């Protein structure tokens, strides 16, 4: 521990990080509105320190805090188990064992998720009689008896028990290194975040991970809404990036001032500038300077120079391993950036020069190097994050002596607006009161499909026992399930609701969903029937009757030592393998038909279902269609959910069957502007909030036919006007749109990272097209070898919500903010490659002074760099 600067966990001076609106991003005494917070950023920026800040806040306020780190080879359940078991003795001494009894049981069960139990019998037969008894013959048989209520404990169960045990006080679950967790772990954290937001449990999930954490979480969630997933509805993403010199300097000067250690301002400036925004590197320089400094003269320029040299010589030992981890495209990009002046490399020009088949690899290399902390992005420019690394790469071929350190740094004059949390920071209660919940809006429109037929089940009876609502992300497929649930609640029907997930079999989720409705089944159909359903659930949990048979012979006198020989073998009773979903549905259908009380199975997030789950659903759908009982399977998913169901229905052969053709498929279209307008105007009118027509037009146009995006825009506008204002002006609407798009930059980058090269090429060309969009590849007049691969890419992007349909045959970028982000990142297309110079002026950059005039790119008329054809 340093006498001057403290240790890394408790530094002598902590930098207070703020977002683009100047609000602190750290967890303080006032907990955030969102129950799930994600800190992400490149290495060395202080993400772990943010978890420590949250832990300190919990300690100050008497909250319960559980801290752990994820890893690839150990499940998140086991990490949480170990962390809580370590904390439990202290909590039990303080509050009593009885209070945390259920927590201890839940923690114990958490690592036994999906465990099987066995019952059995044993028979012992003596070998011989009386004094001639020479031993025993033993026969044993065990068989599976896993009941429906022993399927294992989930993370959401644990969160509920922790919330109860805390006695109303908040609980902070702090998880570091989330990007090291498995895809299953990340999916579990996504589900936990959704549960916390919806249930109101006083538990806050605070996670931290590398710059790719958002990308990995998005890929694992598979929940489609808005920009590729409902990640925005799950985590408040807070970017922990480089600090400005002004923010970083006090971490060095304040400890020196408090300890009355003299220092030369030029020496401090040299250390701060060389740290280049990294608190980790500045701490290394500070500790080295403390060790080298004379107590009388303090931190001089000579001490600062020697400290920097000492630290960078140690860092240089890691350069070769770090560079060896990079691929060929990444090494090439690093070399090109190092060749430039300190202002960096202008990426759109490099991508344009790379050509149509190579620019995607260069762009992917850029993203990977930024995530590793080797590169920094400044608008369209990239620079090497560590000046000594740049010198190391340039050393074999640089001309002349290296430049002074101060010339190596490029910093934004203004605070990076991407630091703003993606979630609204004001009380969500007010927004929900005005607009309604995301799945249950205040204004409901009676919609029709593309054929003009009513879409909702309360207005149009189904044509079969399986109904699938499919559509692009954010258009309201989940809202159709919510509307059907309200219909069922009014009529008193039994409804089982569940979400598909890659974390566990869908059958387990069916069991839990039916188990939660046993009281409703008892009320509607009788006590004996409910008990039989409970029995069926246990048999469904079994799935097979695996038996373990053992034959044993023990030799030796009775009551004395014996020697045994045994043989064990496993068997399956083919005539008693439990029940499946069709058998459960068949019994419920008998009950529903006799009482004329429909039973509804409702499945959301169908895109996240595994192929095995979809095969089970296909079999269940076929059974329901043949039985023709009032049991209905109602599902909601993306545009490819029916395609996947059709493939799964063919079994291992993957040959399509007629099962999907017998489903009632209802395609939920995008919203027209005249449909979206009342969805915003009516809630505002009911709440007494005045609004200018131009403001409504702006928000509706920016929504681009997506009600989920309209809600986000309206929430941003309400957040800007605050509770004391009762008017949304055109200025507010413009600011709300800009604010939402800026906040979403991290999500745009994450979605872009998950795209394949052919998808990136199609996105860029579409972003460069006019308002009508781009003709979908399948509809182009001339075809080539790449036509159908490009069309599959278009379909995948439509399903992920990155593209949207424009008319019948054209496609556009679904999110206008994403389109603008693409145009800035890669430039508007003036050629077939889709790569050209960017639209709009360059971001203002500064080194110790302004960017030297001779290093600026050539400017067009008016002083801004624009593409002439795009301007036209």
């Amino acid at each position: 521990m340093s006498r001057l600067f403290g240790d890394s966990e408790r530094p002598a001076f902590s930098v207070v990080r703020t977002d683009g609106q100047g609000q602190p991003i750290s967890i303080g005494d006032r907990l955030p509105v969102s129950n799930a917070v994600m800190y992400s950023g490149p290495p060395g920026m202080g993400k772990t320190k943010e978890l420590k800040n949250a832990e300190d806040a919990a300690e100050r306020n008497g909250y319960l805090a559980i801290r752990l780190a994820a890893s690839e080879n150990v499940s998140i359940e086991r990490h949480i188990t170990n962390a809580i078991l370590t904390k439990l003795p202290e909590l039990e001494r303080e509050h009593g064992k009885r209070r945390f009894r259920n927590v201890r049981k839940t923690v114990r069960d958490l690592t036994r998720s999906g465990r099987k139990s066995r019952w059995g019998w044993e028979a012992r037969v003596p070998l011989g009689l009386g004094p001639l008894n020479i031993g025993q013959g033993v026969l044993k048989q065990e068989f599976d008896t896993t009941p429906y209520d022993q399927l294992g404990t989930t993370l959401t169960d644990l969160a509920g028990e922790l919330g109860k045990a805390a006695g109303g006080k908040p609980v902070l679950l702090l998880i570091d290194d989330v990007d090291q967790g498995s895809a299953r772990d990340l999916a579990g954290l996504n589900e936990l975040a959704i549960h916390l937001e919806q249930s109101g449990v006083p538990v806050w999930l605070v996670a931290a991970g590398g710059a790719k954490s958002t990308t990995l979480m998005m890929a694992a969630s598979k929940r489609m809404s808005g920009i590729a997933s409902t990640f925005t509805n799950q985590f408040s993403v807070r970017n922990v990036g480089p600090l400005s010199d002004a923010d970083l300097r006090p971490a060095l000067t304040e400890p020196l001032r408090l300890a009355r250690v003299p220092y030369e301002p030029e020496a401090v400036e040299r250390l701060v500038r060389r740290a280049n925004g990294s608190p980790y590197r500045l701490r290394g320089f500070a500790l080295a300077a403390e060790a080298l400094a004379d107590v009388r003269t303090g931190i001089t320029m000579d001490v600062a120079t020697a400290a920097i040299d000492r630290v960078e010589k140690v860092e240089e030992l890691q350069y070769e391993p770090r560079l060896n981890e990079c691929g060929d495209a990444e090494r090439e990009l690093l070399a090109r950036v190092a060749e430039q002046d300190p202002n960096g490399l202008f990426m759109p020009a490099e991508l344009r020069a790379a050509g149509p088949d190579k620019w995607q690899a260069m762009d992917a290399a850029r993203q990977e190097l930024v995530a590793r902390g080797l590169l920094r992005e400044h608008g369209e420019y990239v620079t090497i994050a560590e000046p000594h690394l740049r010198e190391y790469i340039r050393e074999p071929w640089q001309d002349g002596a290296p430049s002074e350190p101060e010339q190596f740094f490029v910093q934004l004059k203004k605070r990076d607006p991407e630091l703003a949390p993606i979630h609204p920071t004001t009380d969500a209660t007010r927004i929900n009161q005005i607009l309604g919940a995301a799945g249950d809006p205040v204004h409901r429109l009676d919609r029709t499909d593309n054929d003009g037929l009513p879409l909702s089940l309360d207005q149009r009876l189904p044509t079969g026992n399986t109904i699938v609502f499919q559509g692009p992300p954010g258009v309201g497929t989940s809202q159709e399930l919510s509307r059907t649930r309200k219909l069922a609640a009014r009529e008193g029907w039994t409804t089982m609701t569940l979400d598909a997930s890659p974390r566990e079999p869908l059958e387990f989720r069916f069991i839990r969903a039916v188990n939660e409705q046993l009281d409703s089944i008892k009320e509607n159909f009788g006590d004996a029937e409910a008990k039989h359903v409970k029995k069926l659930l246990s048999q469904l949990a079994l799935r097979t009757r695996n038996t373990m048979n053992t034959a044993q012979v023990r030799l030796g006198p009775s009551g004395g030592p014996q020697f045994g020989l045994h043989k064990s073998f496993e068997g399956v009773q083919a005539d008693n393998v439990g029940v499946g979903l069709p058998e459960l549905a068949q019994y419920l259908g008998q009950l529903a038909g006799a009482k004329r009380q429909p039973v509804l199975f409702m499945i959301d997030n169908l895109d996240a279902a595994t192929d095995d789950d979809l095969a089970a659903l296909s079999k269940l759908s076929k059974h329901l269609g043949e039985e023709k009982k009032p049991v209905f399977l109602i599902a909601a998913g993306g545009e490819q959910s029916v395609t996947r169901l059709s493939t799964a229905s063919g079994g291992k052969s993957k040959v399509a069957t007629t099962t999907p053709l017998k489903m009632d498929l209802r395609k939920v279209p995008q919203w027209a502007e005249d449909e979206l307008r009342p969805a915003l105007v009516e809630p505002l009118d009911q709440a007494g909030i005045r609004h200018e027509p131009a403001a409504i037009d702006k928000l509706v146009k920016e929504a681009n036919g997506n009600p989920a995006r309209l809600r986000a825009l309206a929430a941003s506008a309400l957040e800007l006007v605050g509770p004391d204002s009762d008017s949304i002006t055109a200025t507010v609407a413009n600011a709300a749109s800009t604010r939402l798009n800026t906040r979403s930059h991290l999500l745009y980058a994450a979605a872009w990272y998950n795209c394949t090269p052919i998808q990136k090429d199609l996105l860029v060309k579409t972003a460069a097209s006019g308002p009508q969009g781009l003709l979908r590849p399948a509809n182009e007049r001339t075809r080539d070898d790449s036509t159908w691969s490009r069309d599959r890419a278009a379909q995948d992007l439509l399903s992920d919500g990155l593209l949207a349909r424009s008319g019948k045959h054209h496609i556009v970028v679904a999110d206008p903010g994403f389109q603008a982000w693409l145009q800035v990142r890669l430039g508007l297309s003036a050629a077939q490659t889709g790569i050209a110079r960017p639209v709009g002026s360059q971001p203002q950059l500064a080194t110790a002074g302004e960017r030297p005039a001779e290093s600026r790119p050539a400017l067009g008329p008016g002083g801004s760099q624009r593409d002439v054809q795009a301007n036209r």
Side-chain angles (χ1 to χ4, degrees):
M1 177 176 176
S2 167
R3 180 181 65 86
L4 294 178
F5 302 104
D7 58 27
S8 58
E9 287 284 319
R10 297 185 183 277
F13 180 86
S14 294
V15 177
V16 178
R17 287 182 176 270
T18 56
D19 60 26
Q21 281 75 51
Q23 300 297 319
I25 68 171
S26 299
I27 305 294
D29 296 332
R30 183 179 177 183
L31 293 175
V33 173
S34 172
N35 283 74
V37 176
M38 167 71 74
Y39 292 104
S40 68
M45 293 297 118
K47 302 178 294 295
T48 301
K49 180 62 173 62
E50 292 300 331
L51 293 188
K52 180 59 180 174
N53 291 339
E55 192 174 27
D56 291 342
E59 185 177 349
R60 287 194 306 270
N61 294 277
Y63 303 157
L64 172 60
I66 307 295
R67 188 172 174 183
L68 60 134
S71 61
E72 185 176 3
N73 57 343
V74 179
S75 69
I76 197 72
E77 288 92 345
R78 190 166 293 279
H79 279 301
I80 292 177
T81 297
N82 294 335
I84 295 181
L85 287 178
T86 302
K87 192 94 172 178
L88 269 180
E90 174 188 345
L91 296 172
E92 290 173 340
R93 284 194 303 269
E94 182 178 352
H95 303 287
K97 288 189 176 182
R98 182 177 181 86
R99 184 168 171 179
F100 287 89
R101 181 178 58 187
N102 287 339
V103 171
R104 184 175 286 277
K105 179 180 182 301
T106 305
V107 167
R108 183 179 66 248
D109 293 343
L110 187 62
T111 53
R112 302 178 182 177
S113 182
R115 69 191 187 279
K116 291 184 177 181
S117 60
R118 289 190 175 194
W119 292 93
W121 57 265
E122 177 179 291
R124 295 175 180 245
V125 180
L127 300 178
L129 297 174
L132 298 179
N133 189 344
I134 60 172
Q136 290 181 324
V138 182
L139 294 176
K140 294 193 299 184
Q141 187 179 60
E142 295 179 344
F143 46 89
D144 293 331
T145 57
T146 309
Y148 73 93
D149 57 351
Q150 290 185 13
L151 292 175
T153 304
T154 64
L155 293 175
T156 56
D157 296 330
L158 175 65
E161 292 299 336
L162 284 173
K164 295 175 186 176
K169 288 188 176 182
V171 178
L172 271 62
L173 188 59
L174 311 173
I175 303 180
D176 203 358
D177 300 330
V178 291
D179 51 331
Q180 295 186 24
S182 65
R184 182 180 181 277
D185 288 343
L186 298 180
L189 293 179
N190 273 311
E191 291 183 14
L192 178 59
I194 296 170
H195 173 75
L196 295 178
E197 293 288 342
Q198 295 176 347
S199 65
V201 176
V203 176
W204 272 257
L205 171 60
V206 185
K212 293 173 66 174
S213 299
T214 309
T215 296
L216 296 172
M217 280 282 194
M218 181 180 287
S221 72
K222 296 181 182 293
R223 302 186 68 88
M224 303 304 176
S225 176
I227 187 73
S229 82
T230 55
F231 195 84
T232 50
N233 299 332
Q234 297 166 30
F235 282 89
S236 174
V237 184
R238 305 186 177 193
N239 187 26
V240 184
L243 291 164
S244 67
D245 287 353
D247 289 333
L248 198 58
R249 190 177 295 109
L252 181 59
T253 58
E254 283 302 300
L256 295 175
R257 183 184 64 82
L258 293 174
R260 297 184 178 180
V261 174
Y263 61 87
E264 295 178 1
E266 295 82 3
V268 167
E269 194 67 22
R270 170 65 66 86
L271 294 171
V272 171
R273 296 294 285 168
R274 195 69 175 181
N276 200 24
S278 170
Y280 174 80
R281 298 192 80 235
L282 181 65
R283 177 174 176 80
F285 293 151
L287 294 178
E290 179 185 7
L292 294 170
D294 187 279
V295 293
R296 295 166 297 177
T297 57
I299 309 295
T300 64
M301 182 64 82
D302 289 340
V303 168
T305 302
I308 291 172
D309 185 63
R310 172 182 288 190
V311 172
E312 290 185 341
K313 281 184 177 178
V314 174
E315 290 179 341
E316 191 172 315
L317 298 176
Q318 294 296 322
Y319 287 163
E320 195 66 28
R322 292 173 69 185
L323 293 174
N324 288 340
E325 291 176 352
C326 299
D328 295 345
E330 294 159 14
R331 291 296 299 270
E332 174 62 22
L333 182 56
L334 277 173
R336 291 193 187 189
V337 178
E339 290 172 355
Q340 307 302 308
D341 61 34
N343 294 310
L345 183 68
F346 183 63
M347 286 301 298
E350 294 295 317
L351 296 174
R352 183 176 64 252
D357 298 326
K358 296 182 179 180
W359 71 265
Q360 298 96 327
M362 181 177 290
D363 185 80
R366 166 189 179 176
Q367 211 156 9
E368 187 68 30
L369 291 171
V370 170
R372 294 185 183 185
L374 297 177
L375 287 185
R376 297 258 181 91
E377 292 180 317
H378 308 277
E380 299 94 324
Y381 288 84
V382 293
T383 61
I384 294 179
E386 298 176 20
H388 188 62
L389 175 61
R390 178 176 181 269
E391 297 166 5
Y392 179 86
I393 297 174
R394 286 174 57 91
E395 186 175 9
W397 36 262
Q398 67 180 357
D399 298 327
S403 303
E404 287 298 311
E406 286 77 5
Q407 297 182 14
F408 282 119
F409 308 102
V410 181
Q411 291 190 341
L412 292 173
K413 285 184 175 179
K414 298 180 180 179
R415 187 180 307 281
D416 188 349
E418 294 181 12
L419 287 176
I422 291 172
H423 263 199
T425 54
T426 55
D427 187 4
T429 304
R430 176 171 177 262
I431 294 175
N432 289 338
Q433 287 175 345
I434 297 172
L435 303 175
D440 189 16
V442 168
H443 173 79
R444 285 190 176 275
L445 178 68
D446 294 334
R447 305 192 66 202
T448 59
D449 60 18
N450 291 328
D451 295 326
L453 298 174
L455 193 67
S456 303
L457 285 173
D458 58 358
Q459 294 182 325
R460 173 180 153 206
L461 293 176
T463 58
N465 289 75
T466 300
I467 306 98
V468 178
F469 292 100
Q470 64 169 136
V475 298
T477 53
S478 297
Q479 288 184 19
E480 291 301 325
L481 296 189
S482 175
R483 184 163 177 165
T484 306
R485 276 196 300 271
K486 283 194 168 184
L487 168 66
R490 290 196 303 267
E491 299 294 336
W493 300 340
T494 302
T495 304
M496 275 73 78
T497 304
L498 59 144
D499 273 14
S501 168
R503 275 181 63 82
E504 65 177 346
L506 196 62
E507 288 180 344
F508 282 16
R509 303 214 159 195
F510 263 95
I511 292 169
R512 289 194 177 98
V514 176
N515 180 43
E516 291 173 358
Q517 296 299 318
L518 282 178
D519 289 340
S520 175
I521 294 173
K522 180 179 178 180
E523 180 181 348
N524 288 342
F525 305 116
D527 185 52
E529 287 74 9
K531 288 181 179 178
H532 188 70
V533 169
K534 186 175 180 180
K535 179 181 178 182
L536 288 175
L537 292 180
S538 293
Q539 293 177 336
L540 177 59
L542 278 172
R543 295 302 300 130
T544 60
R545 292 283 279 193
N546 289 320
T547 61
M548 179 61 71
N549 306 288
T550 302
Q552 187 177 52
V553 175
R554 295 181 178 181
L555 302 177
S558 177
Q562 293 183 331
F563 174 76
L565 297 173
H566 73 271
K567 181 179 181 179
S568 297
F569 55 93
E570 193 171 11
V572 177
Q573 297 182 9
D575 60 338
N576 187 13
V577 293
V579 299
L581 291 178
E583 287 78 11
L584 175 64
Q586 182 175 7
Y587 182 71
L588 290 172
Q590 294 173 3
L591 301 180
K595 292 284 184 120
R596 297 184 180 274
Q597 287 277 349
V599 174
L600 310 181
F601 288 106
M602 307 184 72
I603 305 176
D604 202 358
N605 193 31
L606 198 58
D607 304 86
T610 64
D611 290 341
D612 289 340
D613 288 341
L614 292 176
L617 286 179
S618 176
K619 184 177 180 63
L620 176 61
S621 173
K622 181 179 180 181
H623 173 83
L624 295 178
E626 293 171 348
E627 289 292 312
K628 300 189 184 303
K629 299 290 185 182
V631 177
F632 297 90
L633 175 63
I634 309 171
E639 293 202 335
Q640 290 193 355
S641 54
V642 175
T643 300
R644 293 186 63 209
L645 272 171
S646 178
T647 303
S649 69
K652 298 297 182 183
S653 67
K654 305 302 179 187
V655 177
T657 69
T658 59
T659 300
L661 298 177
K662 298 175 182 178
M663 298 177 180
D664 185 351
L665 304 179
R666 304 197 178 189
K667 194 163 187 177
V668 184
Q670 284 186 270
W671 294 52
E673 289 191 7
D674 58 348
E675 292 178 321
L676 277 180
R677 188 170 283 102
L680 177 59
V681 170
E682 291 190 13
L684 295 178
D685 288 342
Q686 293 178 19
I689 298 176
R690 296 197 304 270
H691 45 83
E692 296 178 357
I696 300 300
D697 291 343
K698 172 65 176 177
L699 295 176
V700 168
K701 185 174 182 61
E702 283 292 314
N704 203 27
N706 191 308
R709 179 169 168 81
L710 180 67
R711 175 184 169 80
L713 288 164
S716 181
L718 291 171
E719 187 179 4
L720 284 172
V721 299
D724 300 327
S725 177
D726 59 351
S727 179
I728 297 179
T729 64
T731 302
V732 169
N734 286 323
S737 173
T738 301
R739 190 181 200 186
L740 179 65
N741 292 342
T742 302
R743 282 178 167 180
S744 300
H745 282 180
L746 287 172
L747 298 183
Y748 298 152
W752 178 252
Y753 200 104
N754 283 327
C755 292
T756 64
I758 193 170
Q759 290 174 344
K760 288 182 176 182
D761 185 67
L762 188 59
L763 276 171
V764 172
K765 290 179 179 177
T766 308
S769 61
Q772 184 184 5
L774 192 72
L775 193 66
R776 184 168 166 175
N779 301 316
E780 294 173 349
R781 183 179 295 274
T782 58
R783 296 186 297 274
D784 55 32
D785 294 340
S786 67
T787 296
W788 301 114
S789 59
R790 287 186 293 115
D791 193 69
R792 281 194 298 272
Q795 182 57 53
D796 290 338
L797 292 170
L798 287 167
S799 298
D800 290 346
L802 300 182
L803 290 181
R805 287 181 172 82
S806 174
K808 191 172 183 180
H809 302 298
H810 288 75
I811 50 178
V812 295
V813 178
D815 188 326
F818 186 41
Q819 181 171 10
W821 183 86
L822 287 171
Q823 291 174 351
V824 170
R825 181 180 180 85
L826 301 172
L828 241 141
S829 176
Q832 292 299 319
T833 61
I835 302 298
R837 293 189 178 275
V839 173
S841 59
Q842 304 293 336
Q844 292 183 333
L845 304 171
T847 59
E850 286 293 326
R851 180 189 295 277
E854 63 272 15
S855 69
R856 294 177 183 268
L859 300 181
S864 63
Q865 184 177 1
R866 298 177 182 269
D867 179 71
V868 177
Q869 181 171 341
N871 220 9
R872 186 180 307 118

